[in-house]
Amino acid sequence: LTTLGQDQTTSVVFRMSAAPALPSGYVPIAVILSYTDTHGNNYEDSTSFNIQIVSRPNIQVGSFVLSVAPLRPGISSVLTLSLINVGGDRAYSASLSLSGSNFLTGVATNYLGSIAAGGSSSASFFLTVSNKTSLGTYNLHLNINYTDVVGNPYSQTTDHSINVASFLPPAISGTHV
């Protein structure tokens, strides 16, 4: 502002943003108004107010690891995923489901409970590749479900590709004596 006359008003807009991982709560904002009147006298006034920050959980896949890679026909592997809550609030009733693979055996959903903001959890799935599985790239669909502190549901699906490579026959070696 440069000049503000008697009985005039003006609005000032302050654009603010909060980091996604900022925890829920209230943040105090201090405002200081400094001005000089027409006689050269300096004045200063201050006030403060609170802004409510509403965060939400945000679970992301941190790692995607196969115990045996690449997968091959006739071979089993354990898929272990780490999940990280990069949001600013705790995630409740978190679960991870795996679909899209014809070689998933056993449980297709892992129940993870709650994950604190900045916290992590892991889930494992047992995969068995049939001897009749064609070579190629297969998509796995990971569906992550959770709620926030007031019960709002969140769901996100990510796709990951895994390769099935050709079968390797057992190696036989011998020694000629």
Side-chain angles (χ1 to χ4, degrees), residues 85-167:
N85 182 356
V86 297
D89 203 359
R90 179 178 292 276
Y92 295 89
S93 302
S95 66
L96 175 65
S97 299
L98 181 65
S99 65
S101 165
N102 59 348
F103 38 82
L104 175 66
T105 56
V107 178
T109 300
N110 276 246
Y111 297 97
L112 307 170
S114 68
I115 304 173
S120 63
S121 188
S122 64
S124 295
F125 298 93
F126 191 72
L127 305 175
T128 300
V129 181
S130 165
N131 284 331
K132 297 178 183 185
T133 301
S134 300
L135 308 182
T137 301
Y138 293 83
N139 285 326
L140 294 177
H141 309 290
L142 304 174
N143 190 357
I144 305 167
N145 292 294
Y146 51 96
T147 61
D148 62 16
V149 67
V150 294
N152 294 319
Y154 298 92
S155 181
Q156 55 203 69
T157 300
T158 59
D159 291 332
H160 294 271
S161 297
I162 58 173
N163 293 316
V164 174
S166 61
F167 177 74

Side-chain angles (χ1 to χ4, degrees), residues 16-23 53-55 86-88:
M16 295 184 255
S17 64
L22 192 65
I53 303 294
V54 179
S55 289
V86 297

Side-chain angles (χ1 to χ4, degrees), residues 18-138:
L22 192 65
S24 293
Y26 289 91
V27 176
I29 304 293
V31 177
I32 300 172
L33 174 64
S34 300
Y35 61 95
T36 304
D37 68 13
T38 55
H39 303 291
N41 298 316
N42 294 321
Y43 295 92
E44 186 173 284
D45 192 15
S46 64
T47 189
S48 65
F49 57 93
N50 290 320
I51 293 179
Q52 184 178 11
I53 303 294
V54 179
S55 289
R56 68 178 201 98
N58 183 0
I59 297 178
Q60 301 291 319
V61 175
S63 64
F64 182 96
V65 179
L66 287 166
S67 63
V68 176
L71 292 175
R72 299 184 187 282
I75 301 296
S76 295
S77 183
V78 175
L79 170 62
T80 303
L81 298 122
S82 70
L83 302 172
I84 303 167
N85 182 356
V86 297
D89 203 359
R90 179 178 292 276
Y92 295 89
S93 302
S95 66
L96 175 65
S97 299
L98 181 65
S99 65
S101 165
N102 59 348
F103 38 82
L104 175 66
T105 56
V107 178
T109 300
N110 276 246
Y111 297 97
L112 307 170
S114 68
I115 304 173
S120 63
S121 188
S122 64
S124 295
F125 298 93
F126 191 72
L127 305 175
T128 300
V129 181
S130 165
N131 284 331
K132 297 178 183 185
T133 301
S134 300
L135 308 182
T137 301
Y138 293 83

